[in-house]
Amino acid sequence: AFSIHGILGLAEPFTGCLRNAFKDKGANGGMPSWFWPLAGALLLVVAGANFSNNNAVVLAAQAYIAAFHAGGVFYHLILGHHPAAGCAPAVFVVMAFSVTWLRAGILVAVVGTLACITVAAGLSKILVTPPAASLNDAGVGSTSESHLLPPIQ
């Protein structure tokens, strides 16, 4: 799965496959354009790291998997997708938790997964531009004007 998604991420600037599938409009509601190829390259590294004999390398890969896919859950929620859209990436968070538990114990798995989810929540606030129409009736919520990164032209 990581290899396929890594290739999709690397090819994104040429195909638009992921942005179209996720209705990602970049600065008008979505991720910065540089994110997809970078994430694709890192997913390819993780795909290989999962087969390492070094426990630390495998655990680092699991941390990336948990943070990346928790970020995927936040991405779908911030963009206003159906809440069930976050279930697919959430499965990988559970898998990373399970691998970490088997390799390092329950305490490391719980603390590590919570740390990765916290990092993902923070990065999602920085990287994901919510759609401009995401304010509720009381005027509360995020707008693209509150996005922390300037648009890349």
Side-chain angles (χ1 to χ4, degrees):
F2 301 128
S3 296
I4 292 169
H5 288 101
I7 292 167
L8 283 172
L10 286 175
E12 177 58 24
F14 310 105
T15 65
C17 175
L18 295 170
R19 284 188 182 261
N20 286 329
F22 297 140
K23 296 180 178 50
D24 185 318
K25 298 177 180 80
N28 295 320
M31 297 296 290
S33 58
W34 54 264
F35 173 81
W36 298 106
L38 176 62
L42 291 173
L43 283 172
L44 288 173
V45 170
V46 164
N50 268 327
F51 295 101
S52 174
N53 291 327
N54 186 330
N55 204 38
V57 171
V58 175
L59 290 174
Q62 299 315 303
Y64 179 79
I65 291 166
F68 178 82
H69 289 89
V73 173
F74 294 122
Y75 167 84
H76 288 296
L77 293 174
I78 291 169
L79 292 183
H81 297 160
H82 190 280
C87 290
V91 167
F92 289 98
V93 177
V94 173
M95 282 193 235
F97 171 84
S98 300
V99 170
T100 303
W101 183 3
L102 291 170
R103 289 196 170 242
I106 188 70
L107 183 62
V108 171
V110 169
V111 172
T113 302
L114 289 175
C116 290
I117 291 169
T118 302
V119 167
L123 287 174
S124 295
K125 290 202 177 278
I126 295 169
L127 294 174
V128 183
T129 303
S134 67
L135 288 175
N136 66 19
D137 292 336
V140 178
S142 299
T143 67
S144 58
E145 289 80 32
S146 68
H147 192 254
L148 300 175
L149 290 179
I152 298 174
Q153 300 295 333

